């Protein structure tokens, strides 16, 4: 009878061991499933945040400072912007442009008309060129398009030689686009601002 009870104890131990293995595997499966769920939720939140943040303009090439007649410093700033491939279009009519130096802080209004290849009025900003020319029927900056932005500074707020300045552009559906440069010490008719 003693041999039978030892065999029965071994069988009980095997059943308990199998039960522990089954419980551990179910618990492991639940933990892995929760990990996958958390990863998928994080990924969904990340993509949602990126899509809500919007696109950002990208500076293409150099900024140019233009000396205007009768002005000692730089009276206008011209630069090209585009967006990265696959980004959402940017409605430029909603864009706000702020210009600042150590002496001035001004939010410039858009020129009327906003897109004018001939002239942007003093104290306003606008678009003077759109490439390709087939995209000139609207002011939505899309992939593979380039806008030439022209800021005609207000009289008395011209850039002096060596002066730092900052241009900030933003709208409700874009991230802030900031350009920080300095006027050259020797000002020519057209200057590269670095």
């Amino acid at each position: 009878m003693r041999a039978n009870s030892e065999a029965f104890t071994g069988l009980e131990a095997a059943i308990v061991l199998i039960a522990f293995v089954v419980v551990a595997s179910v618990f492991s499966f639940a933990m892995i499933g929760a990990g996958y769920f958390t990863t998928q939720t994080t990924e969904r939140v990340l993509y949602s945040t990126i899509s809500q943040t919007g696109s950002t303009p990208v500076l293409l090439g150099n900024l140019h400072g233009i000396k205007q007649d009768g002005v000692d410093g730089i009276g206008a700033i011209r630069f090209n912007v585009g967006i990265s491939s696959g980004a959402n279009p940017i409605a430029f009519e909603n864009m706000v442009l702020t210009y600042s130096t150590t002496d001035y802080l001004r939010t410039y209004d858009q020129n009327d008309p906003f897109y004018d290849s001939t002239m942007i009025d003093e104290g306003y900003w606008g678009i003077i060129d759109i490439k390709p020319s087939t995209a000139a029927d609207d002011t939505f900056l899309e992939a593979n398009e380039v806008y030439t932005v022209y800021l005609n500074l207000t009289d008395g707020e011209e850039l002096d030689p060596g002066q730092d300045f900052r241009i900030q552009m933003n709208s409700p559906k874009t991230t802030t686009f900031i350009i920080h440069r300095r006027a050259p010490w020797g000002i020519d008719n057209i200057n590269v601002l670095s």
Side-chain angles (χ1 to χ4, degrees):
M1 179 112 178
R2 198 167 183 201
N4 287 342
S5 75
E6 287 177 7
F8 189 70
T9 304
L11 184 61
E12 287 176 345
I15 291 172
V16 169
L17 178 64
I18 291 171
F20 279 132
V21 168
V22 169
V23 168
S25 64
V26 168
F27 181 72
S28 298
F29 182 75
M31 293 303 291
I32 290 171
Y36 282 133
F37 175 75
T38 303
T39 302
Q40 289 174 347
T41 303
T42 303
E43 182 179 330
R44 189 170 44 248
V45 167
L46 178 66
Y47 284 125
S48 172
T49 303
I50 289 171
S51 68
Q52 289 176 2
T53 300
S55 302
T56 302
V58 177
L59 181 65
L60 303 174
N62 293 320
L63 265 74
H64 294 97
I66 301 163
K67 182 178 180 181
Q68 296 177 336
D69 293 336
V71 174
D72 291 334
I74 293 173
I77 299 170
R78 181 181 66 208
F79 56 94
N80 294 325
V81 294
I83 58 172
S84 58
S85 181
N88 293 329
I90 298 173
F92 254 68
E93 68 267 6
N94 297 332
M95 194 71 69
V96 175
L97 186 143
T98 304
Y99 166 80
S100 61
T101 66
T102 54
D103 301 322
Y104 304 104
L105 172 65
R106 178 182 303 277
T107 299
Y108 277 80
D109 292 329
Q110 294 177 355
N111 194 60
D112 187 20
F114 183 51
Y115 170 54
D116 188 346
S117 62
T118 58
M119 184 61 183
I120 301 296
D121 297 328
E122 181 184 310
Y124 292 90
W125 75 282
I127 300 169
I128 59 170
D129 191 23
I130 296 177
K131 289 191 176 24
S133 59
T134 55
D137 58 343
D138 64 25
T139 56
F140 281 90
L141 179 61
E142 300 174 84
N144 302 318
E145 292 181 359
V146 177
Y147 284 9
T148 302
V149 176
Y150 192 90
L151 170 61
N152 197 347
L153 299 173
T154 301
D155 186 32
E157 295 183 3
E158 295 84 7
L159 279 172
D160 295 326
Q163 187 175 20
D164 288 336
F165 71 95
R166 181 178 166 143
I167 294 174
Q168 179 175 316
M169 299 175 73
N170 56 6
S171 74
K173 298 209 176 198
T174 64
T175 54
T176 302
F177 173 60
I178 299 173
I179 302 169
H180 185 209
R181 297 285 192 275
R182 174 178 288 170
W185 288 102
I187 293 181
D188 297 321
N189 287 335
I190 297 179
N191 307 272
V192 174
L193 305 173
S194 57

